[in-house]
């Protein structure tokens, strides 16, 4: 173990958490691939090999990203933010839609990326940079908060029409980061006020939306979740709650889930339900504990970081991952409407897993920088 950690720098606990996530992801995705394996070529073994390939590639991304000095990410953040904004605009302009939503940018050789994944990381990097400058130069609203607000609204505005849950996730993470960054409460409150009017207008549009539009999809999901609609099409959420209710404390055992062929997104949106069915309440709590450990260790990194940027970057990326995990879990257990958010580091994924791995690598880069700083002292 000591030989391994000779090459894996930074917080060792986070490295162990990543290893647990990789093992859990491989096991659970394998047993939940029923529908996608039947509907596409390659079968279960082919799809599992694809997933294992991306897990291995993700670990490589974590390794090489954590080797980069974290202060480089501050310099990169501005360029990456504008690049992600361009990608979001291009994605909206293309006629490539999934479930009436334009989220994906198709690349050569059959690959595709969800451009909001890039924008999410880029914006957190940028906010950490701006707030670190705010700490150091003590500039006011005009020079720091207002330009930051414009960038946040631009990114979230480009995302929300096609991916509402991701826009809310990003905005919530930014607000939390502003709070941690000691932005004055009335500046943060002002940002919230800027959101109120567009939100009221948006809700009005959703309530009046007609069938066939993306807004109608949101309206239908909210009505089903609240029990207003009884059309019987809320199959995913109902099945998820039913299998969780029958799982028990220890579950039914690995591979003994009953809904991989009937739950459309068991390998992604509802994979937490599969975890609980197979490994019981204890398995579900263990996965939850892993995310809480990740957040706790990020808090330790924040406390020990010698720079404001490192602290804000590590915390911002960690809280975004944990918020996303909570959203996915909340959907699976029935306390949130369906959102389409995967479970970070566990759900079936390709490029989304790579971008999540990049975020973990940045957190470890900050931790690695702290270790190097302590060794010099």
């Amino acid at each position: 173990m000591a030989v391994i950690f000779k090459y894996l720098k930074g917080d060792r606990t986070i490295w162990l958490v990543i290893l647990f996530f990789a093992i859990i992801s491989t096991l659970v995705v394998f047993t939940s691939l029923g529908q996608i394996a039947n509907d596409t070529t390659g079968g279960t073994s082919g799809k599992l090999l694809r997933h294992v390939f991306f897990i291995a590639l993700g670990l490589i991304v974590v390794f090489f990203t954590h080797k980069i000095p974290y202060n480089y990410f501050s310099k990169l953040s501005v360029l990456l933010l504008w690049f992600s904004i361009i990608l979001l605009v291009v994605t909206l302009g293309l006629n490539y839609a999934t479930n009436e939503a334009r989220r994906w940018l198709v690349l050569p050789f059959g690959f595709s990326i969800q451009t909001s994944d890039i924008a999410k990381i880029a914006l957190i990097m940028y906010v950490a940079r701006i707030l670190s400058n705010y700490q150091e130069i003590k500039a006011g609203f005009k020079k720091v908060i207002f330009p930051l607000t414009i960038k946040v609204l631009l990114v979230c505005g480009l995302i929300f029409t096609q991916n509402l849950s991701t826009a809310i996730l990003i905005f919530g993470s930014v607000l939390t980061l502003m709070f941690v960054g000691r932005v004055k409460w009335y500046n943060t409150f002002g940002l919230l006020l800027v959101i109120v009017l567009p939100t009221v207008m948006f809700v009005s549009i959703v309530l009046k939306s007609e069938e066939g539009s993306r807004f109608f999809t949101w309206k239908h999901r909210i009505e089903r979740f609240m029990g207003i609609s009884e059309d019987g099409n809320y199959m995913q959420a109902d099945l998820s709650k039913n299998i969780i209710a029958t799982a028990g404390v220890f579950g039914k055992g690995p591979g003994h889930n009953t809904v991989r062929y009937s739950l459309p997104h068991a390998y992604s949106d509802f994979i937490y339900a599969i975890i609980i069915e197979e490994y019981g309440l204890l398995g579900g709590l263990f996965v939850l504990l892993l995310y809480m450990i990740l957040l706790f260790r990020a808090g330790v990194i924040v406390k020990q970081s010698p720079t404001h940027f490192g602290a804000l970057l590590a915390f911002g990326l960690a809280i975004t991952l944990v918020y996303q995990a909570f959203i996915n879990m909340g959907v699976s257990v029935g306390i949130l409407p369906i959102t389409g958010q995967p479970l970070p580091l566990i759900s079936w994924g390709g490029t989304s897993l790579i971008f999540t791995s990049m975020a973990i690598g940045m957190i470890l880069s900050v931790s690695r920088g702290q270790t190097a700083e302590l060794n010099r002292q």
Side-chain angles (χ1 to χ4, degrees), residues 134 139-142 145 149 178 182-194:
Y134 174 80
F141 178 84
K142 185 177 180 180
I145 305 303
T149 300
M178 290 175 70
R182 293 181 287 187
V183 174
K184 295 179 180 178
W185 69 268
Y186 49 80
N187 288 332
T188 306
F189 184 70
L191 177 57
L192 285 172
L193 285 181
V194 171

Side-chain angles (χ1 to χ4, degrees), residues 18-285:
I18 295 171
L19 177 62
F20 276 117
F21 276 135
I23 295 171
I24 293 170
S25 179
T26 302
L27 293 174
V28 182
V29 167
F30 174 66
T31 59
S32 62
L33 277 175
Q35 192 63 42
I36 190 174
N38 282 350
D39 292 345
T40 56
T41 58
T44 301
S45 59
K47 296 305 172 184
L48 178 63
L49 286 175
R50 177 191 181 277
H51 185 65
V52 171
F53 167 78
F54 275 105
I55 288 178
L57 184 59
L59 292 174
I60 293 173
V61 169
V62 172
F63 177 78
F64 282 104
T65 304
H66 104 290
K67 289 288 188 180
I68 301 172
Y70 68 87
N71 58 295
Y72 287 6
F73 299 127
S74 177
K75 303 172 183 177
L76 181 63
S77 62
V78 178
L79 179 62
L80 187 60
L81 177 66
W82 285 112
F83 176 68
S84 65
I85 290 173
I86 293 172
L87 289 182
L88 289 173
V89 173
V90 171
T91 304
L92 285 175
L94 294 177
N95 190 28
Y96 184 77
T98 303
N99 296 327
E100 299 93 33
R102 295 188 179 114
R103 302 179 180 179
W104 298 89
L105 188 63
V106 181
L107 303 175
F109 307 108
F111 290 100
S112 61
I113 60 172
Q114 193 165 339
T115 48
S116 60
D117 288 334
I118 304 176
K120 179 168 53 181
I121 294 177
L123 185 60
I124 294 298
M125 292 168 59
Y126 179 79
V127 172
R129 170 189 171 91
I130 296 301
L131 291 182
S132 64
N133 293 337
Y134 174 80
Q135 302 293 322
E136 294 165 5
I137 66 178
K138 298 299 180 182
F141 178 84
K142 185 177 180 180
K143 291 185 178 181
V144 176
I145 305 303
F146 181 73
L148 176 62
T149 300
I150 296 300
K151 302 295 194 312
V152 172
L153 293 179
L154 178 59
V155 172
C156 291
L158 288 170
I159 293 174
F160 97 99
T161 57
Q162 307 301 319
N163 196 340
L164 176 61
S165 60
T166 298
I168 293 174
L169 168 65
I170 294 174
F171 188 74
S173 300
V174 169
L175 283 181
T176 305
L177 198 54
M178 290 175 70
F179 175 78
V180 173
R182 293 181 287 187
V183 174
K184 295 179 180 178
W185 69 268
Y186 49 80
N187 288 332
T188 306
F189 184 70
L191 177 57
L192 285 172
L193 285 181
V194 171
I195 297 298
V196 169
L197 183 58
T199 301
V200 172
M201 296 174 62
F202 166 72
V203 171
S204 300
I205 294 172
V206 169
L207 293 178
K208 296 179 181 179
S209 60
E210 297 180 356
E211 189 169 357
S213 69
R214 183 63 184 165
F215 292 158
F216 183 79
T217 302
W218 295 337
K219 175 185 177 182
H220 228 37
R221 286 179 177 177
I222 294 172
E223 287 179 345
R224 293 174 197 150
F225 176 73
M226 296 177 64
I228 299 174
S229 172
E230 298 292 343
D231 58 7
N233 292 325
Y234 211 43
M235 179 184 68
Q236 296 149 292
D238 291 339
L239 282 174
S240 177
K241 288 186 286 187
N242 287 339
I243 64 176
I244 288 175
T246 58
V249 176
F250 301 102
K252 301 174 183 177
H256 290 84
N257 72 75
T258 58
V259 292
R260 58 180 169 177
Y261 294 103
S262 54
L263 192 59
H265 298 287
Y267 52 87
S268 177
D269 301 356
F270 290 90
I271 199 165
Y272 190 63
I274 299 296
I275 292 173
I276 295 179
E277 183 180 25
E278 293 186 354
Y279 299 95
L281 177 63
L282 292 180
L285 290 176

Side-chain angles (χ1 to χ4, degrees), residues 6 35 87 95 136 186 233 303 307 315 332 350 360 374:
K6 179 181 178 181
Q35 192 63 42
L87 289 182
N95 190 28
E136 294 165 5
Y186 49 80
N233 292 325
K303 186 176 180 181
T307 66
F315 182 79
S332 293
I360 294 293
L374 289 173

